Amino acid sequence: MSVSPATLPPVLLHSEAELARAALATPLLSRAVRLARWAGPDTRVGAGGELVDAQLPAAAAELGLDADDPDAAAYASEAWRVAVDTGLVEVTDAEEEGGEGTVTQGEDLAALSGGSPQDVLGIWLGALDTVYADATVPDMEDLLDVLEENGEVDFSELGWDPQAEADFLDGVLGNLYLLTVGDGAAGEEPVPLPALAASMIVPDDMGEPTDDILEQVSDAMMKLDDQFRLFEPLGLVEYQPVDEALMADIDDETAADAPAPDDEDVSRYGMVRLTPLGLYGIRARMLEAGVDAPAVGDLADKGADALLDGTSGFPQAAAQAEIEQWLARHEPLDAARELLTAARGGDEGAPLRRLRCQQALSLVGDEAEPALRDVLDDPELGGLARVWLAEHGATDVPAPSEALVFWLTIDTIAAQLAAEGNSDELQGLVEGLAQQHSGFFDTAWRVEHPATADVLEAMGRLHPDKKVAKQARKAAFKARSQQG
C-alpha cells in the first residue's frame, strides 16, 4: 500500500479493547460468528469450502434474514466465507472427487469470547483480507460476459489487471487515511466520493479537467461505490452510497454533460469516512506493506531524545497527546531532567526539540522545579527555564541578560519556522518584535546561534513593511558574514 508522504502523520487510535468491541459488533463478523456456532456435522460444503446452494436458505434463516430478500443467500454466503477464511470453522475436504466436505468449529471461534483484544482484532483483520479480495475482483455480470465455451474466463478481453485493481484500492484507502489523520485534516468529517476518486485520477498540475478525465472520475466513483458498500458491514467505513437516481443519470449521460454537484447536493454523490476501527485496519495493512504509519503512543516507552525528535514533525495536537502519554510513565522531576538533557544541541533540529521540550515541561507540576533551577545558567536552556519558573510563580528568578533574551528569540523563531513554516502566527510575532524593539536587527545579527542568519532572512520575507524587511535582510547578510 502506498501513499504520497514518506512518513504519515501519527494516528490517535482507540484502545485495543474498544476496537475489539467494535469489531465484534460489526454486522459481517457477527454473522460469521453466528454461522460458525450453527455449523455442525450436517453442514454441507462444496470442494472450496463454500456452503452448497441447498444449505444457504437454512444459513440465511439462522442469521434472521428474510427468506423473501433476494440478497439473503448472498449475505449468508459472504458471512460463511469470512468464517472459513478466519478459522472460525474448519473444513475437511471430501475424500472422493465431487463429494461434499465436513465442517467443525475452528479453534479461533473460542478466541472471540475468551481471547484477548489482540486475538479479536487479528480475526477481524483476517475478515478484512477476505473483503478486500472480494472488492478487487470483477463484477460477476462482467465475468459472465467474457466466459468462454470451455468455461474459462478470458481476462484479456475483460481488461482486468488484478495488481492494478489492488493498487488503485490501496491508493484510495491511503488517501482517505491521510485525509483523516493529516495536519488540518477533516478527521470526523466524511469525504465526498467525487473528491476521493479525483485524488487518484486528476493530475496535481491539471487546471480544468478534460472530458476524458471526468469520465474516468465517474467510472472510479461507481467502482468505489460498490467497494465501500462491501466494506461498510465490516465496520471499515461509514458510507452514504451514491443516490440511485444519480446512477441512472450517469448511465444516461456522458460525464461531460452531467451537471457538477453543488454544495447542497454533493452528498448525493456518496460520502465516506474511516471509522476508528477502519483507521486501525488500514494502518495495519500499511505497516504490513512496509509503510511508516506511526501511532500516538509509539514513543511512550522511548527515551526523551526519541520523544523530542519523534514529535518534531507531528501536528500540534498529536505532539501534545504523545507527550502526555510519555509523561504518564515518568516521575515529574526525572522527566524534566531527561527532557532538558535531550533538548540541548546546536544542530538544525535543536530549536524544535527545545520547543517540544517547553511544551512537555508545561504539563509537569511543581515537582520539576529543581531541574529547571539547575539549568538557569545554561546558555541554551536558561531562557526556557526562566519562562517555566515565572509561569509557576517563582519570585527569586534572576533576570536574563540581553544576550540570553536575543538568543531565546532567535531560537524560538527558528523552532516556529521548522514547525509551521511561514505561518500567520509567525508573521505576527515578527511584526511585534520589530515594532517593540527599534534596534532589534542591529543587535540580532550578532547573536551566536546557528540559525541566526536563517531567522533574519525569514523575518525579511515575512515582514510586510519594505523598510523593515530590508533591515532584516541586511542583518542576515551580516550574520552570514560573521559566521563565515
Side-chain angles (χ1 to χ4, degrees):
M1 177 175 289
S2 62
V3 289
S4 297
T7 301
L8 290 161
V11 58
L12 182 58
L13 295 173
H14 287 201
S15 70
E16 289 187 334
E18 291 175 295
L19 293 170
R21 286 194 293 270
L24 290 171
T26 60
L28 182 53
L29 185 57
S30 61
R31 287 174 181 168
V33 171
R34 289 180 66 178
L35 289 185
R37 290 172 176 157
W38 161 80
D42 296 331
T43 306
R44 300 166 58 197
V45 295
E50 75 283 359
L51 288 173
V52 299
D53 290 345
Q55 193 82 69
L56 289 174
E62 176 64 24
L63 296 177
L65 299 173
D66 190 340
D68 296 329
D69 184 349
D71 295 323
Y75 290 147
S77 179
E78 180 185 35
W80 179 259
R81 188 165 60 256
V82 167
V84 172
D85 289 351
T86 57
L88 300 182
V89 294
E90 297 289 343
V91 175
T92 301
D93 293 335
E95 295 181 0
E96 298 179 1
E97 185 176 352
E100 294 178 354
T102 57
V103 177
T104 57
Q105 291 185 351
E107 294 181 0
D108 286 339
L109 182 60
L112 290 178
S113 55
S116 67
Q118 293 95 326
D119 293 332
V120 174
L121 290 172
I123 292 170
W124 181 85
L125 287 172
L128 177 58
D129 288 341
T130 296
V131 178
Y132 212 92
D134 289 347
T136 55
V137 299
D139 183 86
M140 182 59 68
E141 293 182 3
D142 294 336
L143 287 174
L144 292 175
D145 289 341
V146 296
L147 192 64
E148 297 179 332
E149 292 182 0
N150 61 3
E152 296 183 356
V153 175
D154 184 356
F155 287 111
S156 62
E157 183 178 342
L158 184 62
W160 179 61
D161 181 343
Q163 188 59 52
E165 292 293 331
D167 289 345
F168 180 83
L169 185 55
D170 282 346
V172 167
L173 292 175
N175 284 352
L176 186 57
Y177 183 94
L178 183 58
L179 288 169
T180 305
V181 306
D183 193 8
E188 296 295 319
E189 294 298 319
V191 178
L193 199 59
L196 193 57
S199 73
M200 292 296 298
I201 293 170
V202 180
D204 293 337
D205 57 353
M206 175 173 280
E208 190 70 21
T210 63
D211 291 350
D212 178 61
I213 289 293
L214 290 174
E215 186 173 355
Q216 291 182 49
V217 171
S218 180
D219 291 342
M221 284 173 54
M222 295 303 97
K223 180 192 298 184
L224 292 174
D225 181 70
D226 290 337
Q227 291 171 330
F228 286 136
R229 287 172 190 258
L230 291 175
F231 284 128
E232 186 174 37
L234 190 60
L236 189 81
V237 296
E238 289 182 3
Y239 183 54
Q240 177 179 326
V242 177
D243 190 320
E244 295 289 345
L246 286 175
M247 286 189 178
D249 291 342
I250 291 173
D251 289 339
D252 293 339
E253 300 173 353
T254 64
D257 295 332
D262 56 37
D263 291 340
E264 294 182 358
D265 68 2
V266 68
S267 63
R268 297 180 62 203
Y269 289 76
M271 303 287 286
V272 63
R273 79 174 186 90
L274 285 174
T275 64
L277 187 59
L279 281 171
Y280 169 84
I282 298 307
R283 177 177 180 264
R285 289 183 64 87
M286 287 180 173
L287 292 176
E288 186 177 355
V291 177
D292 187 1
V296 171
D298 285 350
L299 304 176
D301 59 350
K302 303 293 192 299
D305 52 348
L307 176 73
L308 298 184
D309 281 331
T311 56
S312 62
F314 283 17
Q316 180 67 21
Q320 181 90 355
E322 187 71 61
I323 288 169
E324 287 174 353
Q325 292 199 26
W326 188 88
L327 289 173
R329 301 191 180 196
H330 295 76
E331 293 298 322
L333 181 56
D334 292 339
R337 286 185 169 136
E338 281 190 51
L339 289 165
L340 289 165
T341 298
R344 288 190 172 94
D347 57 284
E348 186 177 352
L352 188 50
R353 285 204 305 276
R354 283 186 281 273
L355 181 65
R356 293 301 188 214
C357 175
Q358 192 168 5
Q359 181 181 350
L361 290 172
S362 70
L363 304 174
V364 178
D366 292 341
E367 304 94 321
E369 183 172 336
L372 277 298
R373 289 190 176 276
D374 287 346
V375 298
L376 280 172
D377 295 330
D378 189 295
E380 295 178 349
L381 305 176
L384 67 85
R386 284 169 170 79
V387 170
W388 188 94
L389 289 167
E391 289 176 346
H392 283 72
T395 57
D396 58 343
V397 180
S401 64
E402 182 182 69
L404 181 57
V405 170
F406 273 82
W407 192 95
L408 181 60
T409 300
I410 295 295
D411 198 60
T412 300
I413 296 176
Q416 293 286 355
L417 280 169
E420 303 175 7
N422 298 336
S423 65
D424 292 340
E425 180 182 353
L426 184 56
Q427 182 174 340
L429 175 61
V430 167
E431 291 180 32
L433 282 171
Q435 184 176 1
Q436 294 171 20
H437 304 280
S438 58
F440 177 83
F441 297 111
D442 292 335
T443 303
W445 71 268
R446 305 175 192 274
V447 173
E448 295 183 2
H449 189 294
T452 296
D454 291 336
V455 165
L456 293 172
E457 283 183 355
M459 294 181 75
R461 290 194 309 271
L462 291 168
H463 205 289
D465 186 298
K466 292 183 178 180
K467 181 179 179 181
V468 176
K470 184 177 180 180
Q471 292 175 353
R473 290 193 295 270
K474 288 178 64 176
F477 179 79
K478 289 181 181 179
R480 290 210 186 279
S481 300
Q482 177 178 260
Q483 292 172 351

